[in-house]
Amino acid sequence: MRRLLTAAVAVPLALLATFKLPSWAFFVFLLLVFVPSSIEYIRLLKPHAPNAPLWVVPFAVPLLAAGLFWGLSEHDRPLPTDAWVLIGVLLAVVFVGTLLLLGRTPLPEVVPAMGIVGFGIPYFAAPVAVAVVMQQLDPWLLFLLYAIVWLGDTAAFYVGSAWGKHKMAPDVSPNKSWEGAIAGFLTGIVATAIWSWCRLGGLHWPLLAVAAVTAIAAQLGDLFESLLKRGVNVKDSGHLIPGHGGFFDRMDAMLFAGPVMLAS
Protein backbone atom coordinates (compact mmCIF):
# COMPACT_ATOMS: atom_id res chain seq x y z
CA MET A 1 0.00 0.00 0.00
CA ARG A 2 2.82 2.44 0.86
CA ARG A 3 4.33 1.71 -2.55
CA LEU A 4 1.09 2.71 -4.30
CA LEU A 5 0.63 5.83 -2.17
CA THR A 6 4.15 7.00 -2.94
CA ALA A 7 3.57 6.42 -6.67
CA ALA A 8 0.30 8.36 -6.47
CA VAL A 9 2.28 11.42 -5.37
CA ALA A 10 5.52 10.97 -7.32
CA VAL A 11 4.08 10.13 -10.76
CA PRO A 12 1.83 13.23 -11.13
CA LEU A 13 4.68 15.40 -9.84
CA ALA A 14 7.09 13.97 -12.43
CA LEU A 15 4.56 14.39 -15.23
CA LEU A 16 3.80 17.96 -14.20
CA ALA A 17 7.51 18.79 -14.21
CA THR A 18 8.01 17.09 -17.58
CA PHE A 19 5.23 18.90 -19.40
CA LYS A 20 5.11 22.26 -17.65
CA LEU A 21 8.63 23.24 -16.57
CA PRO A 22 11.08 25.03 -18.88
CA SER A 23 14.31 23.18 -19.58
CA TRP A 24 16.40 24.94 -16.93
CA ALA A 25 13.79 24.33 -14.22
CA PHE A 26 13.35 20.71 -15.30
CA PHE A 27 17.13 20.31 -15.07
CA VAL A 28 17.03 21.57 -11.46
CA PHE A 29 14.06 19.30 -10.70
CA LEU A 30 16.00 16.26 -11.91
CA LEU A 31 19.03 17.22 -9.85
CA LEU A 32 16.80 17.17 -6.74
CA VAL A 33 16.34 13.45 -7.43
CA PHE A 34 19.62 12.34 -8.97
CA VAL A 35 22.03 14.19 -6.66
CA PRO A 36 20.50 12.54 -3.53
CA SER A 37 20.73 9.25 -5.45
CA SER A 38 24.46 9.86 -5.96
CA ILE A 39 24.88 10.63 -2.25
CA GLU A 40 23.25 7.29 -1.39
CA TYR A 41 25.56 5.66 -3.93
CA ILE A 42 28.75 6.94 -2.29
CA ARG A 43 27.44 6.11 1.19
CA LEU A 44 26.74 2.61 -0.07
CA LEU A 45 30.25 2.11 -1.45
CA LYS A 46 32.23 4.12 1.08
CA PRO A 47 33.37 0.97 2.98
CA HIS A 48 35.48 0.08 -0.08
CA ALA A 49 37.35 3.42 -0.01
CA PRO A 50 36.64 5.09 3.34
CA ASN A 51 39.44 7.68 3.08
CA ALA A 52 39.13 8.59 -0.59
CA PRO A 53 37.50 11.87 -1.76
CA LEU A 54 34.22 10.23 -2.80
CA TRP A 55 32.36 13.39 -1.77
CA VAL A 56 33.20 14.88 -5.17
CA VAL A 57 30.59 12.71 -6.93
CA PRO A 58 27.42 14.65 -5.95
CA PHE A 59 29.20 17.94 -6.65
CA ALA A 60 30.47 16.84 -10.07
CA VAL A 61 27.18 15.30 -11.25
CA PRO A 62 25.45 18.66 -11.97
CA LEU A 63 28.54 19.98 -13.79
CA LEU A 64 28.92 16.95 -16.05
CA ALA A 65 25.15 16.79 -16.60
CA ALA A 66 25.15 20.42 -17.76
CA GLY A 67 28.14 19.76 -20.02
CA LEU A 68 26.57 16.66 -21.54
CA PHE A 69 23.30 18.48 -22.09
CA TRP A 70 25.13 21.27 -23.88
CA GLY A 71 27.07 18.72 -25.93
CA LEU A 72 23.93 16.80 -26.92
CA SER A 73 21.88 19.90 -27.74
CA GLU A 74 21.85 21.59 -31.11
CA HIS A 75 24.24 24.55 -31.27
CA ASP A 76 26.21 26.50 -33.85
CA ARG A 77 29.74 25.28 -33.13
CA PRO A 78 32.85 24.11 -34.97
CA LEU A 79 32.84 20.51 -33.68
CA PRO A 80 30.09 17.87 -33.95
CA THR A 81 28.23 16.51 -30.92
CA ASP A 82 30.29 13.29 -30.82
CA ALA A 83 33.51 15.27 -30.58
CA TRP A 84 32.23 17.37 -27.66
CA VAL A 85 31.09 14.27 -25.79
CA LEU A 86 34.49 12.62 -26.35
CA ILE A 87 36.27 15.75 -25.10
CA GLY A 88 34.06 15.73 -22.00
CA VAL A 89 34.88 12.08 -21.29
CA LEU A 90 38.62 12.70 -21.66
CA LEU A 91 38.48 15.71 -19.35
CA ALA A 92 36.54 13.63 -16.81
CA VAL A 93 39.31 11.00 -16.86
CA VAL A 94 41.94 13.67 -16.20
CA PHE A 95 39.77 15.17 -13.45
CA VAL A 96 39.30 11.85 -11.62
CA GLY A 97 43.00 10.98 -11.78
CA THR A 98 44.04 14.41 -10.57
CA LEU A 99 41.48 14.34 -7.77
CA LEU A 100 42.70 11.01 -6.42
CA LEU A 101 46.30 12.20 -6.63
CA LEU A 102 45.81 15.58 -4.94
CA GLY A 103 43.32 14.13 -2.46
CA ARG A 104 46.09 11.89 -1.12
CA THR A 105 44.03 8.77 -1.54
CA PRO A 106 45.60 5.88 0.43
CA LEU A 107 47.33 3.46 -1.93
CA PRO A 108 45.08 0.45 -1.14
CA GLU A 109 42.02 2.58 -1.91
CA VAL A 110 43.13 4.09 -5.23
CA VAL A 111 41.69 1.39 -7.49
CA PRO A 112 38.25 1.08 -5.81
CA ALA A 113 38.03 4.89 -5.50
CA MET A 114 38.85 5.27 -9.19
CA GLY A 115 35.95 2.96 -10.03
CA ILE A 116 33.50 4.55 -7.59
CA VAL A 117 34.22 8.13 -8.67
CA GLY A 118 35.01 7.53 -12.33
CA PHE A 119 31.90 5.44 -12.86
CA GLY A 120 29.62 7.25 -10.47
CA ILE A 121 29.80 10.75 -11.98
CA PRO A 122 28.62 9.82 -15.51
CA TYR A 123 26.33 7.14 -14.06
CA PHE A 124 24.15 9.84 -12.49
CA ALA A 125 24.93 12.77 -14.81
CA ALA A 126 24.08 11.12 -18.13
CA PRO A 127 20.41 10.33 -17.29
CA VAL A 128 19.86 13.95 -16.24
CA ALA A 129 21.25 15.31 -19.52
CA VAL A 130 19.35 12.71 -21.53
CA ALA A 131 16.04 13.50 -19.82
CA VAL A 132 16.35 17.25 -20.48
CA VAL A 133 17.29 16.62 -24.13
CA MET A 134 14.27 14.34 -24.53
CA GLN A 135 12.01 16.93 -22.89
CA GLN A 136 13.25 19.52 -25.38
CA LEU A 137 12.70 17.19 -28.32
CA ASP A 138 9.21 16.14 -27.20
CA PRO A 139 7.94 15.70 -23.61
CA TRP A 140 5.86 12.76 -24.85
CA LEU A 141 9.09 10.83 -25.52
CA LEU A 142 9.93 11.19 -21.85
CA PHE A 143 6.40 10.12 -21.00
CA LEU A 144 7.02 6.95 -23.04
CA LEU A 145 10.25 6.31 -21.12
CA TYR A 146 8.34 6.65 -17.83
CA ALA A 147 5.70 4.21 -19.07
CA ILE A 148 8.24 1.59 -20.11
CA VAL A 149 10.21 1.82 -16.87
CA TRP A 150 7.50 2.45 -14.27
CA LEU A 151 4.74 0.24 -15.64
CA GLY A 152 7.28 -2.48 -16.38
CA ASP A 153 8.67 -2.28 -12.86
CA THR A 154 5.18 -2.42 -11.35
CA ALA A 155 4.20 -5.43 -13.47
CA ALA A 156 7.46 -7.22 -12.63
CA PHE A 157 6.95 -6.61 -8.91
CA TYR A 158 3.36 -7.81 -8.66
CA VAL A 159 3.59 -10.71 -11.13
CA GLY A 160 6.87 -11.83 -9.58
CA SER A 161 5.38 -11.63 -6.08
CA ALA A 162 2.31 -13.64 -7.07
CA TRP A 163 3.62 -16.19 -9.56
CA GLY A 164 7.42 -15.94 -9.62
CA LYS A 165 8.94 -19.41 -9.22
CA HIS A 166 12.06 -19.34 -11.37
CA LYS A 167 14.76 -17.12 -9.84
CA MET A 168 16.43 -14.77 -12.29
CA ALA A 169 19.63 -13.92 -10.39
CA PRO A 170 19.42 -15.47 -6.90
CA ASP A 171 22.94 -14.41 -5.91
CA VAL A 172 22.26 -10.77 -6.84
CA SER A 173 18.54 -10.26 -6.15
CA PRO A 174 16.79 -13.30 -4.64
CA ASN A 175 13.29 -11.84 -5.07
CA LYS A 176 13.49 -11.27 -8.82
CA SER A 177 12.04 -13.98 -11.03
CA TRP A 178 11.91 -14.73 -14.74
CA GLU A 179 8.12 -14.54 -14.58
CA GLY A 180 8.31 -11.00 -13.22
CA ALA A 181 11.00 -10.01 -15.73
CA ILE A 182 8.93 -11.27 -18.67
CA ALA A 183 5.83 -9.48 -17.34
CA GLY A 184 7.80 -6.23 -17.02
CA PHE A 185 9.23 -6.60 -20.52
CA LEU A 186 5.86 -7.33 -22.13
CA THR A 187 4.22 -4.47 -20.23
CA GLY A 188 6.78 -2.06 -21.66
CA ILE A 189 6.09 -3.33 -25.18
CA VAL A 190 2.31 -3.04 -24.74
CA ALA A 191 2.65 0.47 -23.28
CA THR A 192 4.76 1.49 -26.29
CA ALA A 193 2.24 -0.01 -28.72
CA ILE A 194 -0.55 2.03 -27.10
CA TRP A 195 1.63 5.16 -27.13
CA SER A 196 2.49 4.61 -30.80
CA TRP A 197 -1.16 4.12 -31.73
CA CYS A 198 -2.26 7.24 -29.85
CA ARG A 199 0.61 9.55 -30.82
CA LEU A 200 1.61 8.30 -34.27
CA GLY A 201 -1.65 6.83 -35.53
CA GLY A 202 -0.45 3.25 -35.80
CA LEU A 203 2.13 0.68 -34.76
CA HIS A 204 5.73 1.58 -35.59
CA TRP A 205 7.86 -1.55 -35.41
CA PRO A 206 11.21 0.28 -35.06
CA LEU A 207 9.77 2.05 -32.01
CA LEU A 208 8.75 -1.30 -30.52
CA ALA A 209 12.33 -2.48 -31.03
CA VAL A 210 13.57 0.60 -29.15
CA ALA A 211 11.07 -0.17 -26.39
CA ALA A 212 12.34 -3.74 -26.15
CA VAL A 213 15.95 -2.60 -25.73
CA THR A 214 14.89 0.07 -23.24
CA ALA A 215 12.83 -2.42 -21.19
CA ILE A 216 15.80 -4.78 -21.01
CA ALA A 217 18.11 -1.91 -20.02
CA ALA A 218 15.71 -0.91 -17.24
CA GLN A 219 15.82 -4.39 -15.73
CA LEU A 220 19.60 -4.52 -16.07
CA GLY A 221 19.82 -1.17 -14.28
CA ASP A 222 17.73 -2.55 -11.45
CA LEU A 223 19.89 -5.67 -11.21
CA PHE A 224 23.09 -3.64 -11.31
CA GLU A 225 22.06 -1.60 -8.29
CA SER A 226 21.17 -4.85 -6.53
CA LEU A 227 24.68 -6.08 -7.36
CA LEU A 228 26.18 -3.01 -5.69
CA LYS A 229 24.01 -3.44 -2.60
CA ARG A 230 24.82 -7.15 -2.43
CA GLY A 231 28.51 -6.27 -2.52
CA VAL A 232 28.18 -4.33 0.75
CA ASN A 233 25.38 -6.48 2.22
CA VAL A 234 22.76 -3.70 2.28
CA LYS A 235 19.07 -4.18 1.45
CA ASP A 236 18.08 -0.58 0.58
CA SER A 237 20.16 2.44 -0.41
CA GLY A 238 18.06 4.64 1.90
CA HIS A 239 14.70 5.01 3.62
CA LEU A 240 13.43 8.38 2.39
CA ILE A 241 10.74 7.02 0.03
CA PRO A 242 8.06 4.89 1.77
CA GLY A 243 7.73 1.50 0.12
CA HIS A 244 10.63 2.11 -2.24
CA GLY A 245 13.74 2.56 -0.08
CA GLY A 246 15.97 5.43 -1.16
CA PHE A 247 16.19 7.69 -4.20
CA PHE A 248 18.83 5.40 -5.71
CA ASP A 249 16.49 2.40 -5.28
CA ARG A 250 13.75 4.26 -7.14
CA MET A 251 15.94 5.60 -9.99
CA ASP A 252 18.15 2.55 -10.63
CA ALA A 253 16.25 1.38 -13.73
CA MET A 254 16.11 4.89 -15.20
CA LEU A 255 19.90 5.24 -14.93
CA PHE A 256 20.35 2.63 -17.67
CA ALA A 257 17.05 2.99 -19.55
CA GLY A 258 17.22 6.72 -20.36
CA PRO A 259 20.62 6.76 -22.10
CA VAL A 260 19.84 3.50 -23.92
CA MET A 261 16.52 4.82 -25.22
CA LEU A 262 18.06 8.05 -26.53
CA ALA A 263 20.97 6.17 -28.11
CA SER A 264 18.58 3.75 -29.80
Side-chain angles (χ1 to χ4, degrees):
M1 180 59 70
R2 287 188 304 167
R3 189 181 182 94
L4 292 176
L5 290 175
T6 300
V9 174
V11 171
L13 184 61
L15 293 177
L16 184 65
T18 299
F19 285 95
K20 296 299 183 181
L21 292 181
S23 294
W24 69 267
F26 186 56
F27 180 83
V28 173
F29 173 80
L30 292 173
L31 291 180
L32 294 177
V33 176
F34 283 94
V35 169
S37 297
S38 71
I39 293 173
E40 292 176 354
Y41 162 82
I42 62 172
R43 285 177 178 170
L44 198 67
L45 300 180
K46 191 172 179 61
H48 292 291
N51 300 297
L54 305 184
W55 52 265
V56 74
V57 173
F59 289 98
V61 163
L63 299 177
L64 182 59
L68 288 174
F69 169 64
W70 186 86
L72 292 169
S73 301
E74 294 296 330
H75 295 288
D76 246 348
R77 54 200 176 191
L79 295 176
T81 294
D82 292 348
W84 285 110
V85 172
L86 177 60
I87 290 171
V89 171
L90 294 176
L91 289 176
V93 169
V94 173
F95 170 75
V96 172
T98 303
L99 173 74
L100 297 181
L101 179 64
L102 299 182
R104 297 185 178 181
T105 305
L107 291 179
E109 299 179 19
V110 169
V111 172
M114 182 171 59
I116 295 169
V117 176
F119 177 82
I121 296 173
Y123 182 42
F124 293 97
V128 175
V130 163
V132 182
V133 168
M134 291 176 71
Q135 189 219 26
Q136 278 195 337
L137 292 173
D138 184 357
W140 284 103
L141 289 175
L142 207 49
F143 178 89
L144 176 58
L145 175 62
Y146 297 155
I148 294 171
V149 174
W150 294 344
L151 294 179
D153 179 67
T154 300
F157 176 79
Y158 285 107
V159 171
S161 298
W163 296 290
K165 294 182 180 179
H166 300 85
K167 299 300 181 182
M168 187 179 185
D171 293 335
V172 175
S173 185
N175 293 327
K176 287 184 173 56
S177 65
W178 281 107
E179 290 83 357
I182 292 171
F185 176 80
L186 293 178
T187 299
I189 299 299
V190 171
T192 304
I194 296 172
W195 186 96
S196 178
W197 191 271
C198 294
R199 294 290 301 169
L200 305 177
L203 290 180
H204 285 243
W205 296 105
L207 182 61
L208 294 182
V210 170
V213 175
T214 303
I216 292 172
Q219 297 202 33
L220 291 175
D222 194 341
L223 281 172
F224 177 73
E225 196 229 3
S226 296
L227 180 67
L228 294 180
K229 291 189 293 187
R230 181 66 61 179
V232 291
N233 197 28
V234 172
K235 184 179 184 297
D236 293 321
S237 67
H239 305 283
L240 293 175
I241 306 177
H244 292 277
F247 282 96
F248 189 20
D249 293 318
R250 184 64 279 178
M251 302 310 297
D252 52 5
M254 199 70 73
L255 293 168
F256 276 20
V260 167
M261 183 173 178
L262 185 64
S264 301

